[in-house]
Amino acid sequence: MAKYLLLKHYRGAPPAVNDVPMDEWTPEEVEAHLTYMRDFAARLEESGEFVDHRALAPEGTFVRYDGEGRPPVTDGPFAETKDLVAGWMVIDVDSYERALELAGELSAAPGAGGRPIHEWLELRPLLTAPQPMTE
């Protein structure tokens, strides 16, 4: 089994086909989307392929260490994750092909008008710790 991260983006990915911001959806459209996400996760739990998922609030702050005795630096001249990452799901699947299949299915979550979003998802394998060498 291999673990993969499916990243959902607020911005930064190519526009989705049904590119209407969620804050412009009706309450029924939002509920349909959330129900799809819950049902998708529940199905993966049943198959043993689900690890975890979270939605992220759009607000956040980048923080960086700036030297001994100095306050941390916040924000900066770079793309901010709070503007990019909307949420994530970790899956544990048998193959890269299965990860692609699930990412494609998640991309079909309903959006405005009940139509699939066709949202771009970033699929990234999780690194594992190197195994100790034995002689």
Side-chain angles (χ1 to χ4, degrees):
M1 300 285 279
K3 290 187 172 96
Y4 289 88
L5 176 66
L6 302 173
L7 281 172
K8 296 175 70 66
H9 295 273
Y10 283 115
R11 292 195 303 257
V17 173
N18 187 1
D19 194 21
V20 178
M22 188 179 262
D23 61 0
E24 296 177 19
W25 297 0
T26 67
E28 295 79 19
E29 291 167 342
V30 171
E31 185 54 38
H33 180 81
L34 296 177
T35 297
Y36 183 97
M37 301 296 290
R38 285 190 295 266
D39 291 349
F40 182 82
R43 190 167 43 82
L44 294 184
E45 281 185 274
E46 289 175 18
S47 70
E49 297 173 305
F50 178 81
V51 176
D52 198 6
H53 70 117
R54 293 286 184 265
L56 300 174
E59 62 275 346
T61 303
F62 258 107
V63 178
R64 151 186 120 211
Y65 172 77
D66 201 34
E68 191 64 39
R70 299 181 69 173
V73 175
T74 59
D75 289 329
F78 35 77
E80 298 188 42
T81 303
K82 67 185 179 193
D83 291 337
L84 302 176
V85 179
W88 50 268
M89 179 178 284
V90 177
I91 57 175
D92 194 357
V93 294
D94 288 328
S95 66
Y96 175 73
E97 290 73 22
R98 177 65 175 153
L100 284 175
E101 177 185 335
L102 292 175
E105 190 175 331
L106 189 57
S107 170
R115 296 180 316 278
I117 298 173
H118 299 274
E119 170 183 40
W120 287 94
L121 298 170
E122 185 177 352
L123 175 63
R124 297 184 64 180
L126 298 184
L127 294 176
T128 58
Q131 299 300 314
M133 303 225 11
T134 58
E135 297 184 68

